[in-house]
Amino acid sequence: MRTLALLLVLGVCASWVSCKPTQEKKDRVHHNKDLSDHAHDDSKDFQYDHEAFLGKEEAKTFDQLTPEESQERLGKIVDKIDRNKDGFITGEELRDWITHTQNRYIYENVNKHWVDYDKNKDDKISWEEYKNTTYGYAAEEFYDVPDKERYRQMMRRDERRFKQADKDGDLIATREEFTAFLHPEEFDYMQDIVVTETIEDIDKNGDGSVDVNEYIADMYTPEADEPEPEWVKTERQQFADHRDLNKDGKMDRSEISHWIKPHEYDHADLEAKHLIYESDKDKVGVKRSGHRHICLIV
């Protein structure tokens, strides 16, 4: 019940926050991550490629190594990238590696929670393990909880998302499935549940869509007699021009999906193609044994 008590404390804190005006704009949009803060200009340096390939934090570690140490460690990484061990690095393998390094914080977050939820140490997490750890073993009754229905709704929402993440339907999550449960915005097959949860959060009149007032209310709560900030006026125009695509005065599921996960360039794919192009000088594929071409770039 300690976890449930913590939830209650957090709930009280949330109620305090909700009583105050939201001055800063919330952002529900899931953008593709920038691979580096540096300009992608190989004529000056390879810092962009360096951070894209290693991740920003890991790149800082490599900057402290001698050239020999860096070369050795990069060689070991390139060996890991070659998943099928055929001696070549494909664009797909390189793209997957870059995506992995950029999502390292997600895996670290999952690993941190994994220890708490995997009670029987079978390297899987069942719904029962998650529910009992998060809501307590008396979760169905919620003894001593003031707002029982609210916590039942929270649990039902978690269970629905857990079932969506659980591809084989056995209510037991592998590490990948649990990652999809905790970070659904990162997985295409979880997009529908992200849209559903977004509507539930914003749709106050219960019509299954989001009108402009609900859209603004999710970002901004004015104080009495407070003039509307310019950015709020801009967001109203954004809603009319770019969110409400069919111009019916509200966003449906398709429009909400387009809003929260817009179609953008796949930066990891573009960077993988760039590294392959720069490294594959003979145009027959980047050989794993000839990894120095990649190492010299990153």
Side-chain angles (χ1 to χ4, degrees), residues 81 145-146 171 203 257:
I81 296 172
V145 176
L171 286 180
D203 174 27
S257 178

Side-chain angles (χ1 to χ4, degrees), residues 155-254:
M155 189 173 70
R156 286 195 290 265
R157 178 159 159 158
D158 274 352
E159 183 176 13
R160 182 183 60 195
R161 189 197 284 188
F162 194 97
K163 288 179 177 178
Q164 181 70 23
D166 176 29
K167 291 182 176 181
D168 57 10
D170 61 357
L171 286 180
I172 299 175
T174 63
R175 195 172 291 264
E176 179 183 358
E177 290 169 338
F178 194 65
T179 303
F181 169 70
L182 291 181
H183 299 276
E185 69 282 353
E186 300 291 341
F187 293 80
D188 289 340
Y189 81 99
M190 297 293 288
Q191 178 73 0
D192 189 62
I193 203 73
V194 174
V195 172
T196 296
E197 291 179 0
T198 301
I199 293 174
E200 289 175 346
D201 290 343
I202 305 177
D203 174 27
K204 300 306 180 184
N205 63 13
D207 67 351
S209 61
V210 174
D211 62 33
V212 65
N213 292 325
E214 291 168 334
Y215 173 77
I216 295 298
D218 183 54
M219 307 177 186
Y220 172 70
T221 305
E223 293 180 338
D225 301 323
E226 178 189 36
E228 192 169 82
E230 285 301 318
W231 71 260
V232 175
K233 296 177 182 178
T234 300
E235 280 298 337
R236 289 187 183 278
Q237 194 62 46
Q238 285 285 319
F239 184 94
D241 293 344
H242 304 293
R243 309 285 183 249
D244 179 19
L245 300 177
N246 62 7
K247 309 306 177 186
D248 65 351
K250 56 189 177 183
M251 286 192 290
D252 58 23
R253 294 187 65 88
S254 175

Side-chain angles (χ1 to χ4, degrees), residues 17-58:
V17 173
S18 65
C19 295
K20 299 179 181 179
T22 305
Q23 300 297 344
E24 296 183 358
K25 175 184 172 183
K26 293 180 184 177
D27 191 0
R28 291 183 178 271
V29 181
H30 179 61
H31 296 286
N32 289 338
K33 302 176 187 65
D34 292 329
L35 303 185
S36 172
D37 296 329
H38 295 270
H40 199 180
D41 187 350
D42 292 348
S43 65
K44 294 182 179 179
D45 58 44
F46 295 110
Q47 194 62 33
Y48 182 98
D49 299 314
H50 187 54
E51 292 188 355
F53 185 81
L54 295 169
K56 295 178 182 178
E57 294 304 316
E58 188 68 10

Side-chain angles (χ1 to χ4, degrees), residues 19-172:
C19 295
K20 299 179 181 179
T22 305
Q23 300 297 344
E24 296 183 358
K25 175 184 172 183
K26 293 180 184 177
D27 191 0
R28 291 183 178 271
V29 181
H30 179 61
H31 296 286
N32 289 338
K33 302 176 187 65
D34 292 329
L35 303 185
S36 172
D37 296 329
H38 295 270
H40 199 180
D41 187 350
D42 292 348
S43 65
K44 294 182 179 179
D45 58 44
F46 295 110
Q47 194 62 33
Y48 182 98
D49 299 314
H50 187 54
E51 292 188 355
F53 185 81
L54 295 169
K56 295 178 182 178
E57 294 304 316
E58 188 68 10
K60 294 178 183 177
T61 301
F62 268 74
D63 289 341
Q64 308 304 313
L65 302 176
T66 66
E68 293 75 20
E69 291 172 330
S70 178
Q71 179 94 357
E72 180 181 358
R73 289 180 63 173
L74 284 169
K76 292 178 180 179
I77 290 174
V78 172
D79 288 344
K80 291 180 181 179
I81 296 172
D82 181 23
R83 293 193 306 266
N84 62 6
K85 307 304 177 187
D86 66 348
F88 289 86
I89 304 299
T90 66
E92 181 181 358
E93 288 172 331
L94 193 51
R95 177 193 178 280
D96 289 346
W97 170 260
I98 293 171
T99 300
H100 174 82
T101 61
Q102 297 300 318
N103 290 336
R104 186 172 285 138
Y105 78 97
I106 292 177
Y107 305 127
E108 290 173 352
N109 175 258
V110 171
N111 290 337
K112 181 175 68 175
H113 286 87
W114 193 265
V115 177
D116 296 329
Y117 291 114
D118 184 17
K119 297 301 184 182
N120 62 5
K121 307 303 177 186
D122 64 347
D123 204 34
K124 295 180 181 179
I125 294 175
S126 69
W127 164 246
E128 288 299 315
E129 285 177 314
Y130 177 82
K131 181 184 73 172
N132 292 337
T133 302
T134 303
Y135 296 99
Y137 284 87
E140 298 300 332
E141 293 80 12
F142 287 114
Y143 296 116
D144 302 323
V145 176
D147 191 354
K148 295 182 181 180
E149 185 55 33
R150 176 167 172 260
Y151 286 96
R152 288 194 183 99
Q153 289 176 357
M154 289 169 59
M155 189 173 70
R156 286 195 290 265
R157 178 159 159 158
D158 274 352
E159 183 176 13
R160 182 183 60 195
R161 189 197 284 188
F162 194 97
K163 288 179 177 178
Q164 181 70 23
D166 176 29
K167 291 182 176 181
D168 57 10
D170 61 357
L171 286 180
I172 299 175

Side-chain angles (χ1 to χ4, degrees), residues 5-20 150-151:
L6 177 59
L7 285 172
L8 283 171
V9 173
L10 293 174
V12 172
C13 293
S15 68
W16 290 343
V17 173
S18 65
C19 295
K20 299 179 181 179
R150 176 167 172 260
Y151 286 96

